[in-house]
Each structure stands twice: as C-alpha cells, then as structure tokens.
C-alpha cells in the first residue's frame, strides 16, 4: 500500500513539473483593426481564470499562461475576442470597432430604423438602468434619465399618479403623450397596461419629424414601448422578486399643543391685548385643559397627525416568465403579481398581470402570424380627498378618540377641519376593481423580397367597478345621520385597425425605404351609476344598492369617437452619409364638425453623417458625427367629444317651472341649454423645428447628443369665458390661444474601464425650457389665464404664471414705516408690499406677474460600475425652478387660520430677539391682508436628490452552472435617500399637498434557468 501511495505521489509531482514547464510569460500587443493604432487599457484575461493584465500606452501586455490557453480580450467600443495562444510566446491582436451602437435598431412609427439613419429627435431608454427599481409604472423610473422627458411622481400606490410630458407644456389641454405598446396606441395609464418586467425597450419620439407619422395624436410626443419576445434558439425561465419597505420622510414640522398656546399668547401680546382662549384659559400663560369639550368626553391631546395618518408600508413584486424561440417562431409567457401599500393608511394598489407574446412563421417565414396580449386585473383603495393637507392643518390639542372610543373632533377655538383618522377608517373599504385586456393580433407577409405587408388589429378593453360608501358619523359635537352609497360601472372599448406596406431597396450607394398605410380607430365608453341613502346596516356585506331603504337615483351615459387616417413615409440615404426623410398623414376625426373634419400633418428631416467625409476619415478620435435638422406639424384633438353639438340637459333646479302658478302642484322638470356647438372648431396644430448633433468619439467611449427645438402651438382648444348677458348655453369651444415652447436638451455618456476587472459608465442629462403664451382673442385678453381684467395679460408670460404683489421684506424700523406709502394695516414686523404703479397706494392695481413653477432646468446623473461579480449604480436627479409654497398659509401666518401652524412661527420677527427674521411678526388679526398672493409665498424650489442607489452581486457562471442556474443576482436598492434644497415645504419634487413620495429600501433577486 505504501509503495502504491509513493507511486501516486511521484506521478503527481511529475505531472506538476510538466505543467509548470507549459506555463510561461506571454507578451503581445493590441491594436485597432481599422487604423492599426495601439489601444491603451485593453483587458487581456486568461479564460477560466482571474489571471490577466491591461495594455500599456503602446498597447502591450504580459501575462502568465499555459501554451494551450485562450486569451479573452475586451475593450470598450470594440468587439470582444477570444485568442488561442497555440504555443506562442508573442501574440499580436487586432480588435474590430464595435459598430453595434450605430447599427442598433430603434422602433419608430409603424416600423424600425437603424440608429445611425435616424434624422429626428429620438431618445432610447437603457432598460438595464431601471430594471431594479420597484414600481408599478415603468414611466416613473425614467425621471431625469432622458432629456426632453419630464416625469412628475408622487407616492400614490402603483404609480397611478405619475405624470409624463415631452418637451414641456405644449397645450392647455391634456398634455399626456401618446403611448404605443407593441403597435397599439393608447393614452391609458401605463400602470394599468403592463408590468415593468415585461418591457424590452422604450423609445421616445420628441420632434415632429419622428412623431408626425401619428398625426393628430402626436402633438404631445410619442412613447413607444416594446415588450419582451423570445430570442431564436433560446429557452429561458426567469424569476424576479422584490420586497420593499417604504418610509414617510417629507413631513413639515408643526407646533405641539403647548407651543400652539405659547404662540397664541405671544400673538395677542404683540397686539396689545390680554390673551384669552376657550381652551387655554386667560391667565398669564396658556394652560392645557384636561378636557376640550363641555361634556368632558374629549381629553386634551398632543397629537402629531402625521404619525397617525402615515405608516411604514410594504411593496411586493413577483414576476415569472417562460420563453422559447426557434427558427420558425417564438413564444413567451409571463405572470406578475404587484402589491403596494401606501404610506397613507389603508391605501393600496394590487395588480395581477398575464402577458402572452407569440409569433409563428409559414412558407419559409414569408408569412408571420402572431399576437401580443396582456390581461390585467387591479384593485385600488383610495385615500380621502385632502387628507394630506389635514395632516398639517388639524389642531394638535385634538386627540384621535374621545374617552368612549368615539372620534374626537374640533370644538370651540380649534378650527373646523374633520378628524383625518375618522375619514381613513370610514373610507378604508371604498375601492375600485378593474379589468383590462390590451394587445393585438397581426399578420405580416413578404410576397416579394424587401416588401412587407402587415395588418394589425389592436384592442383595449377596460371594465371598471367602483363602490364609495359614506357612513353615518360623529366626531366631537358634530353628527351626520345620513349614509350614502355611490356605485359606478363602466365599460370602455377601443379598437385600432392598421394596414401598412413597407418596401426597402439598395441600389449601389443609394438606399431607401417607403412606408404607406391606413388606420381606423373607434373608442366607445358607457357608464352606469347608482346612488342610494339610508342603510340600516353599515357592514361591508350590506353595502349594495339593495341594502338601502331611502331614495335611490341612477343614471346612464355613453360616448363615442372615431378616426380614419392615411399616412406615408419615405427615407433616403446616399452612401450612408446624406440622409433625408419625409412624412405626411391625413386624419379625419368625429370630434370636429363638417367644416374642419380633416387635417394634414407633414414633416421633413435631413441628416449629414459628416464623419464619413474624406476630410474627417483620418481623425482617429472621431467615431461618428451626424448633424440633424427637422421641421413638421403635429396635432391635438383632445377636447369634449361633443364640442360641435349644442347640448341640453334635464334639470329640476335650473329648468323647472311652476306652470300652474305659485305652489300649485308638482313642478315639471325642464330642459336647460348647457353649451353651444361650434361647427367651425378645428385641430390644435403644433409646428416644431429641431436641430441636433450626434457625436461618438474615442472608440465609442464618449457619446454626446445635443438638440435645440422650437415649438409653436396655434388654435388651442379652449372654453373661453363669456359675459353674463349671453346667459344659458354660453359655454362654447373655440380655437383661441397660441403658445411657444423652446428649449435645449443634451445627453452625455462616457464608458470605459480601469484594468481588466473594473468597468464604469457615466451618463449626464440636461434640459432647459422656456414657455410663453403668444396670443389670445381680444375679448379675453385681460381675463384669461390669470390676467387682472384691466391692463395686464398673460401674453408673453409662461402658462400658469402667478399674478400677485411684489414684496420688499418686512417693516423693521420706524423709518421703514415712514415711506409715504398708503398700505392699510402696515406695521412693524409686517410684510412690505411694493408700489408697482407709483401712486403711493397699495391696492389691486399693484398686482403684477411674479413668475411660474415651470422648470428652468431638469437633469440627471447616473453612475454605473462593475467590478468582477459586483455591480452598483447611483442616480441623482434635480431641477431648477421657483415654487409657490401653499403650506406657508399654515406655517407662517397665525392670523389666517385657527388650526395648527408650523414651528417656523417660533422664529417669527420681533425687535428684541429676531430682528433679522424674514417671518412676519406674530399677530392675531390680519390687518395687513397677508394672505393675499404675493412674493412671500414664492421660494427657491430647486433641488438635488439621490434618487436611486443599487448594489448587486451576480453569482459567477462557474458556480451557478454547478447548481444548474443560468444567472443568479441579488441586490439591495434604495430610493429618495436624501434631498438638497432650500424649499421649506414638504417636498420640492411634488409641490402643494401631494401624496408623499416614500423613502424605499428594496431587496431583490433575479434567477434565470
């Protein structure tokens, strides 16, 4: 036995000696194949090991490897290679430029194009940057990541409160862009259409040249979403799971019960009045009573209403997908479960999602038939309206419950706001249940080479049910004995039938493609509602119309719109260097009368790949340079479906008449004219010019895209104000306003590596906009959009501009008060208003334009990196703008409101301690009318947020293969980690009283088989 072991040991040592002889130093050089220039920092790794090196300034490297090893050579901007050593000690390697970025196919209107050939302004989302973000609405993940795309988020569960606009505000009407999901057009909320895991790519068509193929629907831009399909020869099973904890973090500091009393005492003392309060007494200092009601059932509280209304909430997201692709067809099936509790108690969004995508080829793939179908069911539980404002408005002395377990409510001296917990508890079962079937069936035929005929039938069916019950209630000394149930059922059906022919040809150095098509759309909607009162039993099992015993009402309404369109597009390229594209679309819509039923929307664009010219061919640092220019028209028809018709309604209150004389029986119900029709109304038309530059340098490591645009929207659809003498039916739709929106957009990307293991990617986006109203009809020039009705018009100002009084700090000294300005109520510590018209009197004539909260700049910075099996990304987003802080009504002015106030009042101006304070002095009377709209409410609303942070680890293939797993990645993700801002409201990202955005921490796992 010992001899056998010795023999084995000797053989092992000999094998090691032989192996050692095979390992040695291998040197070499890596150059570019096209220019034969040395490449610096190329990663050269021995396959199957961690042994490697990076090339030096001359492109040279040295590694230790066996003579039969394979070298894996990778470099940003070049195609990777595997180079066998084959016994050589010196290896020369040439890398080919990776033209993948230029050859990438981008989905545009009804077709796709190579990225290098696009002459319009099109942005493409990097899906890898957003796949880890837990959200029910994939659009919410795009905030700050695409220039020209503004995403406004709030914390509403499911992302149903997310708003998207492209290149600023184009219209005073619905600014929602058109979504095209797998060829099906819709303006429905994306959160109800599909889950984020199913999305393969997102393209945004921003200028008229790229979007005009959609004609009257494209004025607000177009977002094209393509879902995942199986790849040829691939069988995959993927599982993704996310579990998130959401935290409330955007509260405003409010006074507690004792601080409120102290502030009240100080306010009256400043007014020279002995303080006295129904709750706090009349002594030298405020005293909190034991009870705040006469019946002594409500003990005095010290309630932080934010702690009562908001809670830590969970988000769960699970996705399973199966896909198989072959030469003749593919199929993929996915199932998603998404459940998000809201920060506000009892709010929730719960969704089930099933998607099936498949296609199959016949006759050697010259005929393909397939479908993309998504079925969603979701339930929403809503918050009571205005509960976010109640959190800061409700008095802290009021407790949640009285001593009997009932709801406590306001009593004398404590305001009149309802108990927010009562609202939450009593409306917690109110819900909306909806189904949606969304998708398409298509067939594509290639009768001859390069000619593709495609027919597509899209369907969007939505069925909804909503139940809203208002129970009897009592809080404090207030009682409502009537309960009410409102039930609504709706059905919406939209179909789109599209037929296109697409032909491509290459004749020498000339290439062109032509698209022609027609499209028919119809949308029908019907709603049935019922209302009943007096339910003897309020239990949820009895909350049906039949459970009530009181008066019952019902109603039914419906609407229908239709459109038919014809369109065409031609792309031409010479030597892949000179590019030209033209588009035209004609739409006819049922929304418009016979006088203006049709409209034509043309567009033209051109591009010059200047980098292909001989005088730039030898510039080694330049990979690609393209100049673009475009012009085109798009439209908007989003208005009342029946604006061309004169409408009447049955109404007892406004149209009933006692035909038999005064009090002589039942009054017959009459008909009242609601609005007057306008047969001459026509489309809003947006004309847009765009100039752009696409630049790739340093072997595609640096990529830059710059765009400047100018958009003019004319004939905006408005219901303009009318004089009272017109009387009933005065409302009428007009084409009556014009707007200009211009701006500059940029995206800069740098990707490179350090050594052989560390890769990084930096992307910076930025957008600058300027908006202004350019014209109005003469009869509403000084009244529409915020004008003062006399001599100041919004023309020349941005949409939504504020009109009010300019301020000049506070009156701090007697010298300030002697300014010869007649300002009623002025005094020390009071706001000092500016005499705009110079008449020495502060009155309504001194109101002027103060600005707008439209962003002046929006941007984002994304940092991505990989080190071996680890990956991380950090994303910052920010905005430069002014903000109107509505919360200052509560936080800064004790005299305007009897409920709660902010702790800022503890630092209010007084001559001894806070002489430099900018917060007006405490007072109990509003002599200076400081609730009027003025600059005091305007703050710097700019901010910078660390919006997203992800750290992940992917199990190496050598390990995952042993456990029969293709990929396994785990990650931690956090959102809204910190905000840098001077804004004193709740959150500079969401002004006013929005549903708060949570701080979110997520654990996730991706498993592929």
């Amino acid at each position: 036995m010992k001899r056998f072991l010795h023999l084995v040991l000797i053989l092992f040592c000999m094998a090691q000696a032989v192996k050692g002889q095979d390992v040695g130093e291998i040197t070499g050089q890596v150059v570019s194949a096209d220019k034969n220039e040395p490449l610096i920092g190329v990663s050269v790794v021995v396959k199957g090991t961690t042994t490697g090196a990076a090339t030096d300034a001359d492109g040279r490297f040295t590694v230790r490897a066996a003579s039969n090893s394979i070298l894996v050579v990778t470099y940003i901007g070049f195609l990777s290679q595997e180079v066998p050593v084959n016994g050589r000690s010196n290896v020369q390697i040439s890398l080919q430029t990776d033209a993948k970025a230029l050859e990438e196919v981008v989905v545009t209107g009804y077709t796709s194009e190579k990225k290098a050939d696009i002459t319009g302004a099109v942005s493409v989302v990097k899906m890898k940057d957003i796949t880890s973000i837990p959200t029910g609405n994939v659009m919410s993940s795009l905030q700050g990541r695409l220039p020209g795309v503004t995403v406004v988020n709030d914390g509403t569960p499911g992302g149903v409160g997310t708003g998207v606009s492209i290149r600023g505000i184009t219209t005073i009407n619905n600014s929602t862009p058109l979504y095209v999901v797998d060829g099906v057009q819709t303006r429905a909320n994306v959160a109800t259409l599909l889950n984020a895991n199913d999305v393969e790519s997102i393209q945004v068509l921003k200028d008229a040249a790229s979007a005009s193929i959609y004609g009257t629907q494209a004025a607000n831009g177009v977002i094209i979403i393509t879902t995942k399909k199986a790849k040829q020869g691939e069988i995959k099973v993927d599982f993704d799971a996310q579990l998130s904890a959401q935290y409330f973090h955007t509260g405003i500091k409010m006074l507690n019960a004792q601080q409120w009393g102290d502030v009240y005492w100080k306010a009256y003392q400043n007014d020279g009045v002995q303080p006295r309060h129904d709750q706090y007494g009349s002594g030298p200092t405020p005293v909190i009573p034991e009870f705040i009601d006469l019946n002594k059932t409500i003990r005095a509280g010290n309630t932080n209403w934010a702690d009562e209304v908001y809670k830590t909430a969970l988000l769960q997201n699970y996705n399973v997908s199966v896909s198989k692709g072959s030469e003749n067809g593919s199929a993929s099936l996915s199932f998603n479960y998404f459940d998000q509790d809201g920060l506000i108690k009892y709010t929730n969004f719960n969704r089930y999602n099933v998607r099936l995508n498949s296609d199959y080829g016949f006759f050697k793939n010259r005929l393909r038939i397939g479908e993309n179908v998504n079925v969603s069911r979701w339930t929403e539980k809503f918050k009571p309206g205005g509960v976010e404002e109640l959190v800061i408005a409700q008095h802290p002395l009021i407790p949640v419950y009285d001593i009997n377990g009932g709801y406590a409510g306001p009593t004398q001296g404590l305001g009149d706001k309802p108990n927010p917990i009562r609202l939450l508890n009593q409306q917690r079962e109110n819900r909306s249940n909806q189904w949606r079937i969304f998708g398409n069936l298509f067939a594509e035929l290639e009768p001859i080479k390069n000619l593709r005929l495609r027919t597509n039938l899209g369907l969007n069916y939505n069925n909804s049910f909503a139940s809203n019950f208002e129970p009897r209630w009592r809080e404090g000394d207030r009682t409502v004995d009537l309960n009410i149930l409102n039930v609504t059922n709706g059905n919406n059906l939209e179909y789109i039938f599209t037929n296109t022919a697409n032909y491509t040809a290459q004749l020498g150095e000339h290439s062109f493609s032509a698209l022609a098509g027609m499209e028919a759309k119809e949308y029908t909607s019907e709603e049935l509602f019922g209302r009943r009162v007096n339910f003897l039993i309020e239990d949820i099992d009895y909350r049906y119309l039949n459970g009530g015993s009181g008066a019952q009402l019902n109603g039914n309404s419906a609407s229908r719109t239709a459109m038919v369109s014809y369109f065409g597009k031609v792309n031409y390229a010479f030597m892949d260097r000179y590019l030209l594209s033209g588009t035209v679309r004609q739409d006819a819509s049922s929304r418009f009368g016979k006088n203006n039923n049709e409209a034509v929307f043309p567009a033209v664009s051109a591009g010059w790949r200047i980098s292909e010219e001989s005088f730039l061919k030898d510039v080694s640092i330049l990979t690609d340079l393209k100049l673009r220019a475009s012009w085109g028209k798009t439209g908007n028809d989003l208005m009342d479906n029946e604006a061309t018709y004169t409408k009447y309604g049955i109404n007892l209150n406004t149209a009933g008449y006692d035909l038999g004389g005064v009090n002589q029986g039942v009054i017959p119900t009459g008909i009242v004219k609601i609005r007057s029709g306008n047969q001459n109304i026509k489309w809003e038309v947006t004309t847009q010019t765009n100039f752009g530059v696409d630049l790739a340098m340093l072997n595609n490591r640096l990529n830059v895209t710059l765009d400047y645009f100018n958009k003019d929207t004319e004939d905006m659809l408005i219901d303009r104000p009318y004089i009272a003498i017109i009387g009933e039916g005065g409302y009428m739709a007009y084409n009556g306003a014009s707007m200009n929106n211009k701006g500059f957009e940029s995206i800069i990307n740098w990707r490179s590596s350090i050594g052989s293991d560390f890769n990084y990617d930096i992307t910076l986006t930025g957008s600058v906009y300027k908006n202004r109203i350019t014209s109005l009809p003469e009869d509403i020039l000084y009244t529409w959009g915020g004008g003062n009705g006399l001599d100041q018009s919004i023309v020349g100002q941005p949409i939504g501009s504020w009109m009010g009084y300019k301020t000049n700090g506070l009156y701090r000294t007697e010298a300030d008060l002697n300014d010869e300005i007649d300002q009623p109520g002025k005094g020390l510590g009071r706001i000092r208003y500016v005499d705009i018209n110079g008449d020495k009197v502060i009155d309504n004539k001194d109101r002027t334009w103060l600005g707008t909260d439209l962003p002046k700049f929006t941007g984002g910075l994304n940092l991505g990196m990989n080190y071996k099996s680890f990956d991380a990304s950090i994303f910052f987003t920010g905005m430069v703008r002014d903000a109107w802080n509505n919360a200052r009504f509560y936080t800064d002015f004790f005299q305007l409101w009897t409920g709660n106030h902010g702790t800022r009042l503890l630092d209010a101006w007084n001559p001894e301690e806070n002489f430099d304070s900018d917060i007006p002095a405490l007072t109990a009377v509003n002599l200076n009318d400081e609730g009027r709209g003025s600059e005091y409410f305007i703050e710097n609303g700019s901010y910078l947020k660390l919006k997203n942070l992800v750290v992940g680890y992917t199990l190496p293939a050598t390990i995952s293969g042993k456990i029969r797993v293709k990929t396994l990645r785990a990650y931690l993700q956090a959102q809204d980690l910190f905000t840098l801002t001077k804004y004193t409201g709740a959150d500079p990202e969401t002004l006013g009283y929005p549903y708060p955005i949570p701080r979110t921490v997520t654990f996730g796992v991706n498993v592929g088989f």
Side-chain angles (χ1 to χ4, degrees), residues 486-552:
N486 289 283
V487 175
T488 304
N489 190 86
N491 286 280
N492 303 299
L493 174 63
E494 182 177 22
Y495 78 82
I496 306 171
F497 184 49
T498 308
N499 296 280
T500 59
N502 196 339
Y503 182 74
T504 60
Q506 182 79 39
L507 302 173
E509 295 181 325
H510 304 270
S511 62
F512 73 92
S513 65
L515 170 74
M518 70 81 59
E519 186 169 79
K521 298 177 62 175
E522 183 178 75
Y523 175 82
T524 58
S525 174
E526 185 170 1
E527 185 175 274
L528 178 69
F529 72 89
R531 172 187 173 95
R532 199 163 194 180
V533 300
N534 198 13
F535 289 74
L536 299 178
I537 302 175
E538 294 190 337
D539 187 88
I540 188 173
D541 292 333
Y542 294 86
R543 293 181 184 179
Y544 300 93
L545 294 176
N546 286 348
S549 61
Q552 181 169 325

Side-chain angles (χ1 to χ4, degrees), residues 11 126 218 347 469 479 596 635 665 694 705 770 777 781 808 817 862 883-884 923 926 933 944 952 968:
L11 291 173
K126 294 181 179 179
T347 56
F469 185 71
T479 301
N596 293 292
D694 298 323
T705 297
K770 186 175 182 180
L781 182 61
N808 186 21
L817 290 174
N862 190 72
W884 188 284
T923 182
N926 188 29
L944 176 67
L968 177 59

Side-chain angles (χ1 to χ4, degrees), residues 8 16 36 134 199 386 393 401 448 551 673 828 846:
V8 171
Q16 290 296 99
N36 200 36
V199 177
Y401 302 102
I448 60 174
K673 188 177 181 182
L828 293 178
D846 294 304

Side-chain angles (χ1 to χ4, degrees), residues 47 288 450 479 666 730 922:
K47 187 175 182 178
I288 296 177
N450 297 330
T479 301
V666 178
L922 289 168

Side-chain angles (χ1 to χ4, degrees), residues 177-178 187 192 232 337 411 447 547 556 610 839 846 883 985 997 1000:
L178 177 70
R187 295 188 191 273
T192 70
Q232 183 174 328
Y337 173 72
T411 57
N556 184 218
I610 192 172
D839 64 358
D846 294 304
I997 297 176
T1000 305

Side-chain angles (χ1 to χ4, degrees), residues 275-324:
R276 184 186 182 284
H277 191 270
D278 292 329
Q279 303 296 340
Y280 289 87
S282 57
T285 59
V287 177
I288 296 177
E290 182 179 1
F291 294 93
I292 62 174
D293 66 326
L294 295 177
N295 296 325
K296 295 187 177 181
T297 61
I298 305 176
R299 293 188 183 277
N302 186 24
T303 308
N304 184 324
W305 289 101
D307 290 344
E308 301 296 331
V309 170
Y310 301 120
K311 65 180 179 67
T312 298
L314 289 180
L315 183 156
Q316 302 176 72
N317 189 20
Y318 306 100
N319 195 78
V320 178
S321 63
V322 181
S323 61
K324 180 180 180 180

Side-chain angles (χ1 to χ4, degrees), residues 693-757:
V693 177
D694 298 323
L695 172 66
M697 299 179 65
L698 302 173
N699 298 316
N700 277 329
R701 284 181 291 178
L702 176 64
N703 290 271
V704 180
T705 297
L706 307 175
D707 277 281
Y708 169 80
F709 70 90
N710 190 347
K711 298 170 67 175
D712 285 303
T713 302
E714 298 177 320
D715 296 324
M716 281 195 292
L717 301 166
I718 64 172
D719 271 345
R720 68 190 190 191
Y722 62 94
I723 58 177
I725 194 173
I726 293 176
E728 107 182 13
Y731 283 111
M732 180 186 290
Y734 292 86
N735 294 102
S738 298
M739 179 190 298
N740 177 266
N741 204 38
K742 62 180 65 175
F744 177 79
E745 303 162 352
S746 65
I747 181 168
I748 303 171
N749 173 256
W750 171 264
R751 54 180 184 150
S752 189
S753 60
I754 300 175
S756 58
D757 296 320

